[in-house]
Amino acid sequence: MAYERLSAHDVRSQERWRGMAFGRIQSGPFVGRVISIVEVSETGCRIRDHAITCEPGDVFHMILEDVGPLVVDVRWKNGAFVGVSFRAPLRPMVFDHLRKEIDKPLHERMARLMDRGSQL
């Protein structure tokens, strides 16, 4: 679903795509951890994870569905939500591919992510 601003304080420059996506952290203290992504744009995403203890300024690599690895910088943390920015914005073609992947059935995407993680 297309992004709708949550409040007047939301002044993002990029439209975000809402939907359930999965990622896997590839480096740092949470390597191998599967994470839920609840919003994604060409320049970053919002992660929902109750146990992750990263802080603004932390850097790690992640796979987002079948895109990556991406180098991400933690920008903010608020409760179970973490905002990260991609060091290199996703190209429009890659972002469109990612949106199409997110529309696929959840169980197919999760199985692919788990298979890919065991191969790394």
Side-chain angles (χ1 to χ4, degrees), residues 17-90:
W17 184 260
R18 284 212 175 104
M20 177 58 90
F22 291 104
R24 179 183 289 276
I25 296 177
Q26 299 297 110
S27 66
F30 301 101
V31 67
R33 184 176 190 81
V34 174
I35 52 177
S36 298
I37 290 91
V38 294
E39 286 182 351
V40 65
S41 74
E42 293 171 346
T43 58
C45 65
R46 182 166 53 142
I47 298 167
R48 182 172 185 230
D49 190 312
H50 293 281
I52 198 165
T53 57
C54 59
E55 297 294 329
D58 288 351
V59 177
F60 57 87
H61 294 80
M62 68 179 270
I63 301 286
L64 178 53
E65 292 287 341
D66 63 350
V67 175
L70 305 166
V71 179
V72 301
D73 293 288
V74 176
R75 303 292 298 235
W76 56 266
K77 183 169 185 337
N78 185 1
F81 295 98
V82 178
V84 300
S85 62
F86 306 138
R87 287 268 174 105
L90 300 177

